[in-house]
Every structure is written in C-alpha cells, then in structure tokens.
Amino acid sequence: MSFKTISSQLAAQLDKDLMGPEIGFTLEQLMELAGLSVAEAVLKEFPYSKSRKSQVLVVAGPGNNGGDGLVCARHLALFGFNPVVFYPKRSSRTQFYGQLVNQLKFFQIPVLDGDDDWAQYLNPNETLCVVDAIFGFSFKPPVREPFGSILQQLRQVQDQLPIVSVDIPTGWDVDEGPVEPNCIIPKVLVSLTVPKPCARKIESLETQHYVGGRFVPRSFANKYGFEPFAYENASQVVKLAPE
Amino acid sequence: MSFKTISSQLAAQLDKDLMGPEIGFTLEQLMELAGLSVAEAVLKEFPYSKSRKSQVLVVAGPGNNGGDGLVCARHLALFGFNPVVFYPKRSSRTQFYGQLVNQLKFFQIPVLDGDDDWAQYLNPNETLCVVDAIFGFSFKPPVREPFGSILQQLRQVQDQLPIVSVDIPTGWDVDEGPVEPNCIIPKVLVSLTVPKPCARKIESLETQHYVGGRFVPRSFANKYGFEPFAYENASQVVKLAPE
C-alpha cells in the first residue's frame, strides 16, 4: 500500500493554513488531538497491562513537537501508563507551554529538566518505550546540544528500548531521511496529518508506521495532494500496511 | 452498577478548578475532548454505515454546551456522518466560538441560524439522531426563546428521532431532573466528566448513559467524591450499565 507524502515546505504551509484566519484552528486544539493520537499509537503498539512494565519516557523538544509530547504523556497516564517527561529546554514562546507542564503536574507526572538524571529511565527492564517528541517537520540540521547527546544515548539503547518518533525521527532530514551519521532508528513512527518524505526511508527498517492527527476533511487533503487516511470508527490513528 | 454524581454547584467549581491557574487547562482543550467524546458516543450508539442514513442534526446553545456541540459536529463529519448544525444564538463571549464556526465551514458542514428552516432536518427518514447541545450544568430555568419552541419541536419527534443530550437534557433541572412539564426525554445522555444528579432520573426512562470528557486523574476525581470511570483502551467515552 503506497502512501502520499508532503514536503517540509508544504507541511509548514498546511499548518499555517489550519491555524490561519479562514480555518481558525487553535494550536491548543490541534496539539490536543495530535498528542492524543500519539498516545493511542503507543497503546496499540505496546498494549497496557497491569502485570507488566508501564513506564514510558517522553523526551520533549522546545517547540510544537515537544508540545505534542507533553499532551501525549498526559493521555498515556489516562490510559494507565506511568509516563515520565524529560523536557530539558522549555519553550517560552507562549504561556500555553507552561500550562501544559502544569497539567502534567496535575497528573503527578514527573517533568525532568536538563539538570535531572533522565538517563536512569533508559532501563529496558523498567521502561516500555521512549517517545521521541524532540523535533518535528521544521527541523533543520545540525542537532544542537543538549539534543545531540540525548540522541546519542537513545541510540545506544534503541535495540532494547523501542523509540516512538512523533512525526519525524529526530535528527533525520525531513525530506531526505537519515542523512546524518548515527541517526536513531525508531521502532514506531507516528506521522501527523500526512507523512513527510523521510517516512519512505523506514520501509527497509521494520519500523511500524502510523498516521495520526485526524483533523482535516477530504477537500483539504486533496488540495495538498493526498487522500484522507482510512481511520476506523473513532480511532485517532491508523496503522499503515508495509509498502 | 451505581454511579456517583456531583451537584451543579460542585460541577461549576470543578470546571473552574480545571481551567484555573494551578491546573491550567484551556477551554479549547477541554471542549475538544468533550466534543470528541460526544461524537464517539453517537458513533457507538448509532454505528455509521455507508448504506444507511447518516445525517445528524446538532442543536447548539449559546454557551459552552453549545461549543461542545460544535466540536462534536466536526468529529462526526470525520467519522463519516453528515452533520448539520443549528446555532440560533451565537456566543460573542470569545473569538473562539467564531473560530469553531469557521472550522465547521472548513468541513462544509451547514451552520443554520435563527432565520433558517432548521425544522426540515427533523425528518426521521433522513436524520439519524439529534444532538441536544443547548444548555449544560449551569442552566437555570426557565427556558427562554427561541429554545422553548425548539424543545417543543424536538419533543414532538423524539419517539421517531432519538435525542442525544450533552451533559444535561436541556430543560431539566441539573439537580432535580425533569421538573418542568413537557421536558424532552433523550434516548442517550452523555455526562461530561461525572454525571450530575439529574442523570439519576433516566433510570426509569430506558435512556442509554455514557460518560465522556476523559481528562481528570484519580486524585482529582476523589477530591470531588467520585472514582475514575472505567474507560477502555483509548476510548473517550464509557457506557454505564443500567442501575
């Protein structure tokens, strides 16, 4: 089954359109639905069970991809998981990011900053998976610190501790894929709204591919050159079959 | 199975808490999740099928209950239904309500105002159900026009055209139930966060009861005297068994 993709440039335009005066979505709305869809993909891929480990480490970057991760962590808690959030570089762009952190505290979800020992959560005996919500479709290389070191640590454990990447595997070129040496290889990719070209590079990697962010009508999808994805019932994610 | 309820007064306090400075939810977030949960309840109760009628009339009131209805309509469209929104008295409280209407237009969902012939959609041969998103937990009687006449028309067709009420069946006293003469009797009630006392009055009415608005942790539920509801997997609603 083939899937359409849109370039990083078009993805930026699509986002701008959705939050522009005509359509009028707010960041809060889209982020809530995007984060929820990522949490649902985690649940589908790693079904929750009381009898097994349920800790999920969410690594959140400074921008909107990180915001999706913060929302995802909250929904993971509602699904029964024990999320821990590592948020080393916090956005001061809008007050809303602070509110997202308060919402995590409301759920008693630990939120670690750059000085905390986040690496203790990279223990595969205790942690089920890592959500990579560091950078999204507006990422331009190179990866700057502290994220370079963080990615290096994630890469060292990725064979034992599966990574779930939000929209873009962090460090990958959005259009070209894993062009830098030593890129992480996620076990799961959750493309938001529509895959970006780098998602084609997971075909040979046995990465499970989901699409989430269920919020555009057919007419809008068609305008951007893709068809709506085949979401079932009320599900906020759809798993794509391997190519 | 028994369920806990909270009074109209406590529900107002709970809402204020959720959007207060400490917890920091925004109206946009909570409304998105609440509206999504109502759409999911509609889907569960009236499964979508290409081969049968799929029109849903959403009647939206001027406040937050109406906002939940506007969001619900958008998710119903994403689920495959053909929603039509009747929104006779529009809120000018915040710009966000205008944005919710723009989002409906984005989905090509008709939004009727008070001058439009909304009653044409009360045809049970074409319409699957009516979502009553007129008034919520802050409603105080009496019902004012145009909503008195609207309720009267809904009541006339309710045996052929099932009503799905959002949080409170409109016209019912939030704490006492259907105390006014000629109240509507919904076939489905979707309580948000936690049922209000009037929900106890549906026991004898064969009304299906759902709880949606999945956004509070156990500690907060306990503070308000209830236990979290038994949502399954990523579902945003849970159906309560009859008492």
Side-chain angles (χ1 to χ4, degrees), chain B residues 17-117:
Chain B
D17 255 16
L18 287 177
M19 291 189 272
E22 199 175 328
I23 300 172
F25 276 115
T26 67
L27 181 70
E28 285 90 328
Q29 289 180 289
L30 297 182
M31 202 167 265
E32 195 63 34
L33 295 174
L36 173 61
S37 72
V38 175
E40 196 175 329
V42 169
L43 183 68
K44 278 192 199 291
E45 207 60 30
F46 308 98
Y48 170 75
S49 158
K50 270 189 183 168
S51 58
R52 55 175 223 150
K53 60 190 175 185
S54 63
Q55 190 163 275
V56 177
L57 174 65
V58 176
V59 185
N64 289 350
N65 201 259
D68 295 338
L70 303 181
V71 171
C72 167
R74 173 161 42 81
H75 286 287
L76 286 174
L78 283 160
F79 296 166
F81 294 101
N82 288 308
V84 174
V85 173
F86 178 41
Y87 192 26
K89 249 188 111 172
R90 305 192 180 189
S91 174
S92 55
R93 272 192 276 178
T94 78
Q95 189 193 341
F96 181 58
Y97 284 85
Q99 289 178 262
L100 287 175
V101 170
N102 286 348
Q103 292 162 28
L104 294 173
K105 291 179 183 163
F106 175 50
F107 277 80
Q108 297 171 301
I109 296 168
V111 183
L112 312 177
D113 64 28
D115 298 328
D116 291 315
D117 174 22

Side-chain angles (χ1 to χ4, degrees), chain B residues 135-206:
Chain B
F135 295 123
F137 66 79
S138 51
F139 169 72
K140 298 264 183 287
V143 176
R144 291 198 173 76
E145 286 306 311
F147 297 105
S149 313
I150 291 168
L151 286 175
Q152 198 174 14
Q153 283 178 274
L154 292 181
R155 209 173 63 86
Q156 279 166 11
V157 296
Q158 67 185 5
D159 290 335
Q160 290 80 47
L161 192 50
I163 297 173
V164 178
S165 286
V166 178
D167 205 26
I168 308 292
T170 295
W172 288 29
D173 184 279
V174 178
D175 295 318
E176 303 298 328
V179 290
E180 298 223 348
N182 300 327
C183 276
I184 60 167
I185 308 293
K187 282 281 184 300
V188 180
L189 171 65
V190 187
S191 294
L192 294 175
T193 315
V194 51
K196 316 309 172 289
C198 65
R200 298 220 169 278
K201 305 295 177 167
I202 65 170
E203 287 164 30
S204 55
L205 300 174
E206 296 182 16

